[in-house]
Amino acid sequence: MKREETRRQRYDHKLKTAKRYPISLCAINFRVDDNLGYLIRSAACFGAERLYVIGHVPERSSLKASSGSLINYVAIEKFKNPSEFLTQMEIKGIQIVSAELVDGAKSLFTYNFNFDRPICLVVGNEETGVPAEILQHSDIVQIPMPGVGYCLNTSHVANILLYETVKQYPLD
C-alpha cells in the first residue's frame, strides 16, 4: 500500500493537533550521534518543547535519519558545559530531573513530578552519566530494572522518562 502523503506532510498535518508540554530533554555530549537523533524523535513524539545538548551537536543532515526526519520539529539549544546549562535553567526557572544510578535516587515508579514550573529531564552520557554538577541541582530518579541488566541505553531512558512525565501531566 502506497501512502498518499510524504512523511513531512504527515508530520505537518499532525502538528495542527499535536500537544506540547512544558517539558524539555537534555543530553550530555554524545559521541554516538544516532542516540541524539533518537532523542530528537522521542522529544517530538512525546510533545517536549525542546532538546538541550551539553557538548557536541552534529550537522542536522547527519541526524535526519535517526530522528525519523523530526529534526525540523524540535528546537535544539547547545551549551558548552554543565555550568552554562545550569545558569540558563535557573534564569528560566526550569526544574531539573536527572536519571542516574546513584545512591539516594528515587524510583521513577513512585516519583511525583511537580508541574508548577517547566521541567527538564536530563539523561547522561553513555560512558560517564550525568555530571555531578548537574546532579547537585537535580531531583534524581532511577528506573527500577528487575532483570539481570542494570543500565539502559540513553535513548531508552529518555523514552521512559518522557512517557512517565507526560502520563503524570494534569489533564486539560
Side-chain angles (χ1 to χ4, degrees), residues 79-168:
F79 298 98
K80 291 182 228 168
N81 54 52
S83 294
E84 187 178 275
F85 165 75
L86 288 169
T87 298
Q88 283 303 304
M89 295 302 100
E90 186 175 339
I91 289 169
K92 295 178 180 182
I94 296 175
Q95 174 190 0
I96 303 169
V97 178
S98 295
E100 189 60 86
L101 296 171
V102 295
D103 289 339
K106 299 171 186 159
S107 168
L108 180 62
F109 296 166
T110 59
Y111 181 79
N112 291 310
F113 288 91
N114 178 356
F115 297 104
D116 289 343
R117 57 189 181 136
I119 295 170
C120 181
L121 305 169
V122 180
V123 293
N125 176 280
E126 292 285 344
E127 295 175 15
T128 60
V130 177
E133 183 178 359
I134 293 175
L135 292 175
Q136 292 171 350
H137 294 89
S138 301
D139 282 355
I140 306 169
V141 298
Q142 54 90 11
I143 300 167
M145 291 171 255
V148 68
Y150 62 88
C151 185
L152 293 167
N153 172 278
T154 300
S155 63
H156 294 122
V157 171
N159 283 322
I160 294 167
L161 285 174
L162 285 163
Y163 173 81
E164 185 62 30
T165 308
V166 169
K167 184 176 94 174
Q168 288 187 31

